Amino acid sequence: MNQLHLRRGRERPLQRRHPWVLSGSIARVDGKPASGETVDLIAADGSWMARAAFSPTSRIRARVWTWNPEEPVDRDLLEGRLNAAAARRLETGLSRTTNAWREVFAESDGLPGLIVDRYASIRVVQFLSAGVERWRDEILDLLQQGEVRAIVERSEGDVRGLEGLSPRRGQIWGEVPAAEVSINEGDRRYLVDLVAGHKTGFYLDQRENRGMVEGLAAGRRVLDAFCYSGGFTISALAGGAESVVAIDSSAPALALAARNLELNGFRPQQCEWIEGDVFGVLRKFRDEDRAFDLIILDPPKFAPTSAQAERAARGYKDINLLAFKLLRGGGQLVTFSCSGGVDPLLFQKIVADAALDAGVDARIERWLAQPADHPVALTFPEGRYLKGLVCRVGS
Ligand code: SAH
């Protein structure tokens, strides 16, 4: 029998149903569990606590599958969790306005390390922990059920490396109709590159914030920094922006953004496109005394875990400081962090420091977050990764 015995006094997070066991909390391992294999978690007093997936290389040494001693970890458990997660998305009513959403969000849906995004009739899946990797065949088999035509795998990124797993990408079942798939969100349409695009292809988590930006853009001179495939750029144009400057370091992302504009009835010539490093471009704009009324900062993840939070904080502060300097009086900054290692309060402090150093007086008008298809289990606050602020500077 494979068992992880906890050190005395380290049971508290598990008692509160937090699904992770950190390596430092383990007194000993009985048996020889392989990567991803199921282990029982045993308290220091010998009582049974939970059943989890073992991850021999990660600091997160085990991730809980079930708190129920009667529930085996098997195909039935996976099927039940997958179906429940998909049903919750339908209950949100999202499918009335879009055909793309996150169907499974890992720990928050009781499937630690598993991401499933739905793009029309295609599922894009990420196996990001040793536990779900071990059940890969069963999960892929279950994901072929329902109205899906194809599955694409995007098991990549630093988390997979920490779990001791190598990256895997590509189409694994069915037929993907084209290199890019077209999805809709309300009246907007977007081309998504499922195989070569970022994450699983599109920033589904910014859906509601795209709508919010649309409402702020009328008559504004807008800067969309880190524009990727043009989500916020299109929102700004749709909202009646006077002009839009869009920056990204990736040429393929900018090319896709231009096509996305056309798909929504705008001309790419309506924007100024800049292929470059946002840090450098913003400095150059500052030196040229350029000014904007609305700036969107949506950088990539600077800190995947809290260990990198300090370095990330410098990056956030730097771009937010520059953005504050580029805003005209009365202008608004829409600034995001998707770093799990930077919590919302820390992010707010960083933005506050940036405003102070920029010498501007600003106030928060809104707090932004991820939408309902990226829920956060109350027992797992780490699931809250996307945070944003709308700040208006004084005139
Ligand atoms: N706002 C986008 C998502 C941004 S993702 C949306 O809503 O769809 C982050 C983007 O930043 C990626 O497209 C990546 O190519 C780009 N990027 C990363 N580092 C950069 C840098 N230093 N300068 C400019 N772009 C960068």
Side-chain angles (χ1 to χ4, degrees), residues 198 203 210 226-228 232 248-250 276-279 298-300:
H198 296 163
Y203 287 83
R210 279 187 276 278
F226 307 97
C227 69
Y228 186 47
F232 288 118
D248 203 281
S249 55
S250 155
D277 171 28
V278 165
F279 291 81
D298 185 23

Side-chain angles (χ1 to χ4, degrees), residues 157-181:
D158 26 63
V159 183
R160 207 172 140 92
L162 296 175
E163 292 283 312
L165 307 168
S166 48
R168 208 191 285 108
R169 148 190 315 204
Q171 183 182 330
I172 46 180
W173 172 75
E175 245 173 64
V176 179
E180 286 129 13
V181 170

Side-chain angles (χ1 to χ4, degrees), residues 85-96:
R88 278 193 285 275
R89 299 327 189 261
L90 293 180
E91 280 160 21
T92 65
L94 265 172
S95 63
R96 285 197 288 272

